[in-house]
Amino acid sequence: MSKRLSLLAVIAALVSVWLLAGRVPLAAQTEPARQTIQQRLDLSRAELEQIASILKRERVADQDLAARRSDIEQLDSSVDALIEQITPQFEAVKARLEQLGPVNDKEKDAAVDADRAELQKNFSDFDNQLKRARTLAVEIDQVKAAIAAKRRALFNHALFYRSASILSPDLWLSFAMELPRDIKAAGLIGSDWLSGAASRLSGSRGLFFAGILGLIAALYLLADRLAVRVLQRRRQVVEPTRLQKVIAALWVGAVTAFVPIVVALAMAQTLHSFDLVNARLDPVLQAIVESVRRIAFAAGLVRGLLAPLRPNWRLLDFTDTVALRLANLAMAVVIVVSLMKVIESINELIAVSLPVAVAVRATGASVVALLTAFALKGINTPPEADDECLGPVTQPAQDWYGPLRALAWIAIVAILASVLVGYVAFGAFITEQVVWVAFVGSVVYLLVVLANEGFEHALRSPSSVARAVMSSLGMRRESLEQLTVLLAGVSTVCLSAAAILLILAPWGIESDDMLANLRSAFFGFKIGDVTISLSSIALALFFFGIVLFATRTVQGWLEKRLLPHTQLDTGLRNSIRTSIGYVGFVVAAAIALGYLGLSFEKLAIVAGALSVGIGFGLQSIVNNFVSGLILLWERAVRVGDLVVLGEEQGYVRRINVRSTEIETFDRVTMIVPNSNLVTGVVKNWVRGDKIGRIKIPVAVNLEADPEHVRAVLIDVAKQQELVEKLPAPNVMFIAMTETLLKFELVGFVGDVEKAGRVKSDLHFAIHARFKSEKISMAPPSAPAPVIHIGGLEHFTTKKQD
């Protein structure tokens, strides 16, 4: 006992020392931290004021705004980190103060008062710093909004600036007057560059430069010949697989684009090394290199994806004519766009006049639109019906790329309309976006096919990878198939998301500002805090459609790809699919309404106003909807179940939002409200399993032997293959009347859906056996009754007389 008390005393002493040690350095630990936080807050405030002062200028370039946006993002992250650093310390001090409680005059303790005073000081300091940090965070958000507003204004001004129409005579008159001056200015700059290059390349320096150019040309020819040999698809492969096609397409595209891009970069680096390009000419050189890169990538994609000369290696199901036409279109459009980019860089270099710049951009956009229209015209045109054809006229199958062709025609109309109306910048922007979207879409399509086919090939059951995965993870073949489908689906979603981000990248603005930029292009009005505009409504519907389409895609993928490889029953699959549809619809509606500015708080007011209508007019609809959710989650009635509802019975085919479809044996679809299935009495034949009981009543003559009848009935039931052996069939002697003996044959079938056919077969067999065993099913024949009619004696006597 004494040892235990001494041990407790030692522990108490150690705890006291630890508490005293922890009490002393409290201020020493928090004071430097508070000073550091204070300094960081002061620096953040100074940086924020500097950024805000730049925004007050009347003219700020978009590049400067983008740089300030990057700075403000870093500042925002720094302030958020400060808030995360201060908050736990503030909460800790607050909790300790709450434990000490308020000052009590009756219980005085100097140590407690000292701790309270110290904690109160720390609490005040942390509270002030936290308020400053949160105020800074709010101001940072305001500055970010101001930057976004300025960038939207610049974007809209540049994109929707209206100039002269391409059909305006004044535009071309001004173009004819200004063009000679611009050509002369370009010639002067070119001659100055040539003279400067000649002076820098004099003597051995020029020979060295020429040698480098010759070496680059020789390496290009050598690499081009090697590339031609490397990217040749093997002719002996008559029917390559889809995986072989996509790998060959990616390889051909990469090799085709690699050589020109490397040569262009080498040439640019050589010009920079010999100091032949100054800061003024560098944008032109960058535009040329970018054009070479664009054309090289386009050539690679055309040769890899369309394969104009290798139809058996073509990944897309195009005819040779369509593939060749699309290949020529792609290269022509890319060359025109690249040429226009180089001309625009030269125009900026020589400060070309506005009419010349407008005419050049309008001409380029119009040429691209007309080339696209000419190439698309006649692609996949259905053949005309032959009048002499004796058989029926068949329509050709609709090609899957029809919607893309429709979008291309929409882009063509938009480009031509823009340059005709005078929005040349907008038409040129659409032209560049068409090229960029086509490039991103082609690359992502190749990667999606590669991922899907790669997973399918790698995890196929006979492959070594599949065997290794199955043995190492202990997976079954069905689970491996599920994993394959799941990996393919996840890769498709990730690549699609990356494609969307890449498509949005050329806008030159952050993703969170892009929708605001589009919205600012339209007029709107405010009702309270909600902004109503055509753009907001259109984009809200667009978001709703996108999310709903994604939901339907996921539902279809689950129904056709993933769930068939599982061991789930049909009812559970339908419940999962329908529940995901409900969730997707709610998410789509929430996103669309949130974009319109209708938050849940504002919707609560509308819901309160509709509560009366829901309580009276929509009560049954809401009741059926909730009942449908209960059916899906509780799964008392599932799709495919055989149910009896009242006097009708049939199979559950579909559980909808309001009602359930039941197909009766007469092939009639019965629409039953969901509330009837939840609150009513429903007999489900297959709820637990599909085993069902059948009963066949039999009535025989009184002269029949009951034991003989039972033996015959049991023997007939045992000879029927669909009657279960366990539980064994049985015969019940249920009644004995004055004329008949009544029996009931009871048996079980493995599938209750086949009970009707089994009962029919048993009736046939019982009738045949009873006939052969001379068992009569009719009641015994009774003697004919004697009828006495009185009063006839008089007629008999009179006749004798």
Side-chain angles (χ1 to χ4, degrees):
M1 185 68 180
S2 60
K3 291 182 178 180
R4 185 179 299 175
L5 291 176
S6 61
L7 181 60
L8 292 175
V10 171
I11 294 174
L14 292 175
V15 171
S16 301
V17 170
W18 178 75
L19 290 175
L20 291 174
R23 182 185 302 172
V24 173
L26 177 63
Q29 290 177 357
T30 56
E31 187 62 31
R34 286 198 299 271
Q35 292 178 359
T36 303
I37 292 173
Q38 194 70 28
Q39 293 174 0
R40 292 175 63 183
L41 287 173
D42 294 338
L43 291 175
S44 299
R45 167 64 64 183
E47 186 176 356
L48 181 62
E49 291 178 353
Q50 182 179 2
I51 295 175
S53 63
I54 295 175
L55 295 180
K56 294 179 180 179
R57 301 174 185 173
E58 293 184 1
R59 295 184 178 180
V60 185
D62 185 71
Q63 294 82 358
D64 295 336
L65 291 175
R68 300 293 78 77
R69 178 59 187 260
S70 178
D71 296 340
I72 203 71
E73 290 290 349
Q74 296 178 0
L75 184 60
D76 192 12
S77 301
S78 176
V79 173
D80 289 340
L82 283 176
I83 294 175
E84 292 179 359
Q85 181 181 354
I86 298 171
T87 301
Q89 301 181 33
F90 172 76
E91 295 295 335
V93 173
K94 181 180 178 181
R96 295 179 65 180
L97 274 176
E98 291 177 353
Q99 289 295 327
L100 291 177
V103 178
N104 192 352
D105 296 334
K106 295 181 180 180
E107 297 179 0
K108 284 271 188 176
D109 189 347
V112 174
D113 291 340
D115 285 347
R116 184 182 289 109
E118 183 180 357
L119 289 173
Q120 187 64 46
K121 179 179 180 301
N122 294 333
F123 178 81
S124 300
D125 293 340
F126 284 135
D127 185 40
N128 293 332
Q129 291 177 351
L130 190 59
K131 290 179 179 178
R132 285 194 62 190
R134 288 174 176 171
T135 304
L136 268 177
V138 173
E139 293 180 4
I140 287 173
D141 291 338
Q142 294 174 351
V143 173
K144 288 167 65 175
I147 293 176
K150 278 187 170 292
R151 298 193 71 185
R152 284 198 299 270
L154 289 175
F155 178 80
N156 293 332
H157 182 269
L159 191 61
F160 297 102
Y161 175 78
R162 187 172 184 179
S163 57
S165 170
I166 192 174
L167 300 179
S168 174
D170 295 336
L171 173 65
W172 294 106
L173 288 175
S174 302
F175 174 80
M177 294 175 60
E178 298 291 342
L179 184 60
R181 185 190 66 82
D182 296 334
I183 294 176
K184 182 178 180 180
L188 290 176
I189 293 177
S191 61
D192 291 342
W193 179 79
L194 289 175
S195 61
S199 63
R200 291 185 178 87
L201 297 178
S202 60
S204 59
R205 188 179 176 89
L207 294 176
F208 186 59
F209 178 76
I212 291 178
L213 293 182
L215 179 61
I216 292 175
L219 291 177
Y220 171 74
L221 294 176
L222 178 62
D224 185 65
R225 289 195 173 185
L226 291 176
V228 170
R229 293 184 179 182
V230 168
L231 58 80
Q232 281 185 350
R233 298 177 172 102
R234 290 179 292 178
R235 296 180 180 272
Q236 58 269 26
V237 181
V238 180
E239 294 183 359
T241 63
R242 192 169 175 83
L243 180 60
Q244 291 175 332
K245 289 181 181 180
V246 70
I247 292 176
L250 289 170
W251 175 252
V252 168
V255 173
T256 303
F258 176 77
V259 177
I261 291 175
V262 171
V263 170
L265 293 176
M267 291 290 294
Q269 185 62 36
T270 302
L271 293 176
H272 281 292
S273 301
F274 283 86
D275 197 19
L276 297 179
V277 179
N278 52 25
R280 188 180 179 187
L281 294 176
D282 189 63
V284 178
L285 180 61
Q286 291 181 2
I288 295 174
V289 173
E290 183 66 26
S291 298
V292 173
R293 185 185 297 119
R294 187 183 297 108
I295 295 173
F297 277 124
L301 284 176
V302 166
R303 298 185 67 177
L305 185 60
L306 298 177
L309 304 178
R310 297 287 188 272
N312 60 324
W313 284 90
R314 189 173 300 145
L315 190 61
L316 299 174
D317 189 16
F318 291 155
T319 62
D320 294 343
T321 303
V322 173
L324 184 61
R325 186 184 289 267
L326 291 178
N328 294 333
L329 170 64
M331 294 307 303
V333 169
V334 170
I335 290 174
V336 171
V337 171
S338 302
L339 181 62
M340 299 312 299
K341 284 292 184 181
V342 174
I343 294 176
E344 287 179 7
S345 64
I346 297 175
N347 290 341
E348 293 180 359
L349 174 65
I350 63 178
V352 72
S353 59
L354 181 61
V356 175
V358 170
V360 169
R361 299 191 74 180
T363 302
S366 302
V367 169
V368 169
L370 294 176
L371 285 175
T372 307
F374 177 77
L376 293 181
K377 183 181 179 181
I379 288 183
N380 199 31
T381 302
E384 296 182 359
D386 190 0
D387 295 336
E388 298 179 358
C389 181
L390 301 178
V393 179
T394 58
Q395 294 294 333
Q398 181 66 32
D399 54 284
W400 65 269
Y401 55 95
L404 296 179
R405 190 171 61 253
L407 291 176
W409 280 110
I410 293 174
I412 292 170
V413 173
I415 293 171
L416 294 178
S418 299
V419 297
L420 289 176
V421 174
Y423 293 101
V424 177
F426 184 67
F429 177 77
I430 296 177
T431 304
E432 297 172 5
Q433 291 304 296
V434 168
V435 175
W436 176 245
V437 170
F439 171 75
V440 173
S442 301
V443 173
V444 171
Y445 172 76
L446 289 173
L447 295 178
V448 167
V449 174
L450 176 65
N452 293 337
E453 298 297 327
F455 286 127
E456 179 70 23
H457 179 76
L459 298 179
R460 191 179 301 163
S461 297
S463 66
S464 58
V465 177
R467 289 194 298 268
V469 172
M470 293 173 64
S471 60
S472 59
L473 299 181
M475 300 178 64
R476 296 181 300 175
R477 182 174 300 176
E478 295 79 7
S479 301
L480 192 64
E481 293 177 356
Q482 298 172 20
L483 179 62
T484 303
V485 176
L486 186 62
L487 290 176
V490 170
S491 62
T492 302
V493 170
C494 295
L495 290 172
S496 300
I500 293 174
L501 294 178
L502 289 173
I503 289 173
L504 298 180
W507 292 63
I509 50 180
E510 287 74 12
S511 58
D512 54 351
D513 293 336
M514 182 166 303
L515 297 180
N517 288 331
L518 291 176
R519 185 173 61 249
S520 64
F522 299 91
F523 296 99
F525 58 93
K526 282 190 174 183
I527 301 178
D529 297 333
V530 180
T531 301
I532 304 297
S533 64
L534 294 177
S535 61
S536 299
I537 296 174
L539 289 175
L541 293 175
F542 174 75
F543 291 149
F544 181 82
I546 288 294
V547 177
L548 200 60
F549 174 76
T551 302
R552 296 292 182 264
T553 303
V554 172
Q555 285 182 293
W557 176 73
L558 288 173
E559 183 180 9
K560 298 179 181 178
R561 298 294 302 277
L562 181 60
L563 294 179
H565 297 286
T566 63
Q567 297 179 353
L568 303 178
D569 57 82
T570 307
L572 184 55
R573 295 180 193 176
N574 181 75
S575 299
I576 294 174
R577 180 184 179 279
T578 308
S579 299
I580 289 178
Y582 290 158
V583 172
F585 181 83
V586 172
V587 171
I591 292 176
L593 294 176
Y595 184 79
L596 290 175
L598 298 175
S599 60
F600 287 103
E601 293 81 1
K602 297 173 183 177
L603 291 177
I605 302 175
V606 180
L610 293 177
S611 60
V612 178
I614 293 176
F616 290 97
L618 303 179
Q619 182 179 4
S620 60
I621 297 177
V622 175
N623 184 18
N624 289 322
F625 175 75
V626 175
S627 299
L629 296 179
I630 294 174
L631 289 176
L632 290 174
W633 296 335
E634 190 180 56
R635 300 183 65 239
V637 176
R638 301 161 298 183
V639 173
D641 287 357
L642 178 61
V643 298
V644 178
L645 189 64
E647 297 180 355
E648 297 289 344
Q649 63 176 339
Y651 296 98
V652 178
R653 295 306 184 193
R654 189 175 182 182
I655 300 177
N656 297 316
V657 176
R658 189 194 64 84
S659 61
T660 297
E661 298 179 8
I662 299 177
E663 183 181 353
T664 65
F665 295 151
D666 298 330
R667 299 296 182 182
V668 176
T669 301
M670 186 169 58
I671 309 299
V672 181
N674 291 330
S675 59
N676 292 3
L677 297 176
V678 173
T679 59
V681 178
V682 181
K683 180 187 291 186
N684 193 337
W685 285 102
V686 294
R687 178 66 179 89
D689 51 43
K690 287 192 173 184
I691 297 177
R693 188 178 70 165
I694 57 175
K695 295 186 296 183
I696 300 179
V698 177
V700 298
N701 198 313
L702 282 171
E703 299 175 355
D705 183 7
E707 293 295 336
H708 186 209
V709 172
R710 179 171 66 176
V712 170
L713 291 176
I714 291 178
D715 185 59
V716 170
K718 287 183 177 181
Q719 291 180 4
Q720 174 58 246
E721 296 180 355
L722 297 179
V723 176
E724 295 290 323
K725 302 302 184 289
L726 289 175
N730 191 15
V731 175
M732 308 294 293
F733 195 166
I734 60 174
M736 182 172 57
T737 66
E738 295 178 353
T739 57
L740 295 174
L741 302 179
K742 295 183 179 180
F743 298 87
E744 191 172 66
L745 174 61
V746 180
F748 292 87
V749 293
D751 190 351
V752 71
E753 297 179 4
K754 300 178 181 179
R757 193 181 74 181
V758 174
K759 291 176 68 174
S760 175
D761 294 342
L762 287 174
H763 278 106
F764 278 111
I766 291 171
H767 184 272
R769 284 294 300 273
F770 277 11
K771 188 175 181 180
S772 63
E773 297 288 340
K774 300 185 182 305
I775 299 175
S776 175
M777 300 181 65
S781 58
V786 180
I787 302 175
H788 297 277
I789 303 176
L792 297 180
E793 295 83 359
H794 172 71
F795 294 100
T796 304
T797 305
K798 188 175 182 181
K799 183 178 181 182
Q800 291 177 355
D801 293 340

